[in-house]
Amino acid sequence: MFTIGDFARYGRVSRRMLRHYDAIGLLHPDRTDPATGYRFYRAAQLARLNRIIALKDLGFTLQQVRAVLDEQVGPDELRGMLRLRRAELAEAVSAATLRLAQVEARLRSIESEGHMPADDVVIKTVPAVRVAELTGTAASYRPQDIGPVIGPLYDRLFPLLDGAGVRPAGPGIARYEDAPEGGGAIVVHAGVTVSAPVGPVGDTGVSVVELPAFEAATIVHRGAMDDVLPTVQSLARGLDAGGYRSTGYTREVNLECPPDRSAWVTELQEPVAKV
């Protein structure tokens, strides 16, 4: 017979843990002295304790461990539990590998530039949003083709909404997609967040649409959109370092738009997926 202290020492666990295993019915002592309450264990019980520790190390809960040890779980179910745990561990390894790549990219950036980057790329879920928008077509996705289209669209949008009694409820949102006719043409959507019901705003040409949530790599650009290229390139480097790929055109969310365009603050939101 072993005292609880000796049994804990041989089993490489604490006395407190053995008392907890006793309380939940996972490992009872062989005998408890009725007068003193001292617990005593047999050497043969070390085998059960070792199995408890092994299953815990695999990530199973104590309730699952008890079910396995008490043969409440058949071989097929145990095989399924192990496969699920394997998938969970593989996902955790993948996430840790991604974080490691991001840390290494940050270290390389600091070493090459001598300071922390001013703009961080953040992966996040962009929530669904309702926007009122006007659309136009640009010859290409180049800034010199987008600018002459999107500016007039916004110039028209706000007076039309005001006339229809629709008030903006959030920032402006510009988004892009390939034009049906192809040839590199781009459909430009100049919109603003609203709370009005979905549907057209009278006969103004303004549509109110629901944009679904999506996973995005985001970065904040400070300055005029004509000077956005360095920020876009920083975003691309962040995607590459983090193990993501782009799945569409970048959405532009106008956080601050004072008259001085050099003071604009715009969040770029690029839809992404893991490589």
Side-chain angles (χ1 to χ4, degrees):
M1 283 287 180
F2 296 110
T3 66
I4 189 172
D6 289 338
F7 192 74
R9 185 171 67 256
Y10 287 122
R12 299 295 192 271
V13 296
S14 67
R15 299 182 192 188
R16 181 187 60 81
M17 189 59 68
L18 288 176
R19 294 189 188 98
H20 179 59
Y21 291 165
D22 182 16
I24 65 175
L26 187 57
L27 178 60
H28 294 301
D30 182 68
R31 182 173 66 85
T32 302
D33 189 303
T36 63
Y38 289 167
R39 296 172 170 86
F40 296 92
Y41 296 81
R42 291 180 293 106
Q45 290 181 283
L46 285 170
R48 183 177 177 93
L49 178 59
N50 289 339
R51 292 192 68 194
I52 292 171
I53 295 170
L55 290 169
K56 277 186 61 184
D57 287 344
L58 290 176
F60 290 121
T61 67
L62 291 179
Q63 290 75 14
Q64 291 172 324
V65 170
R66 184 171 59 185
V68 171
L69 295 185
D70 293 345
E71 298 184 350
Q72 299 173 9
V73 174
D76 290 340
E77 188 176 353
L78 178 58
R79 190 178 298 112
M81 292 168 63
L82 289 169
R83 285 173 176 166
L84 176 60
R85 184 58 185 154
R86 180 178 62 185
E88 292 172 345
L89 290 171
E91 184 177 353
V93 169
S94 177
T97 301
L98 174 59
R99 287 194 295 271
L100 177 60
Q102 292 171 336
V103 169
E104 290 177 342
R106 182 58 55 84
L107 284 172
R108 288 194 300 269
S109 176
I110 294 172
E111 290 167 358
S112 63
E113 300 177 10
H115 57 81
M116 285 286 290
D119 296 309
D120 290 327
V121 175
V122 177
I123 305 297
K124 65 182 181 182
T125 299
V126 174
V129 64
R130 178 179 293 162
V131 298
E133 61 182 23
L134 288 172
T135 61
T137 302
S140 77
Y141 193 53
R142 297 181 303 172
Q144 56 264 43
D145 290 327
I146 296 293
V149 175
I150 197 167
L153 287 176
Y154 271 118
D155 290 341
R156 290 173 47 212
L157 177 64
F158 290 103
L160 289 173
L161 291 179
D162 186 59
V166 178
R167 298 190 174 211
I173 297 178
R175 59 191 184 95
Y176 309 92
E177 59 185 338
D178 292 322
E181 60 267 27
I186 297 294
V187 176
V188 178
H189 300 264
V192 65
T193 307
V194 296
S195 56
V198 175
V201 179
D203 56 357
T204 62
V206 176
S207 296
V208 180
V209 296
E210 296 278 1
L211 302 180
F214 67 101
E215 194 78 0
T218 66
I219 192 171
V220 175
H221 170 68
R222 293 170 174 83
M225 293 306 293
D226 292 341
D227 303 321
V228 75
L229 184 57
T231 306
V232 170
Q233 292 175 347
S234 294
L235 180 59
R237 287 193 295 268
L239 290 184
D240 183 63
Y244 286 87
R245 62 178 177 84
S246 173
T247 60
Y249 288 105
T250 302
R251 183 184 294 182
E252 300 160 3
V253 180
N254 310 123
L255 302 178
E256 296 179 19
C257 296
D260 181 4
R261 293 181 175 236
S262 66
W264 281 14
V265 179
T266 306
E267 183 179 69
L268 307 183
Q269 301 173 342
E270 184 156 355
V272 295
K274 285 187 177 180
V275 175

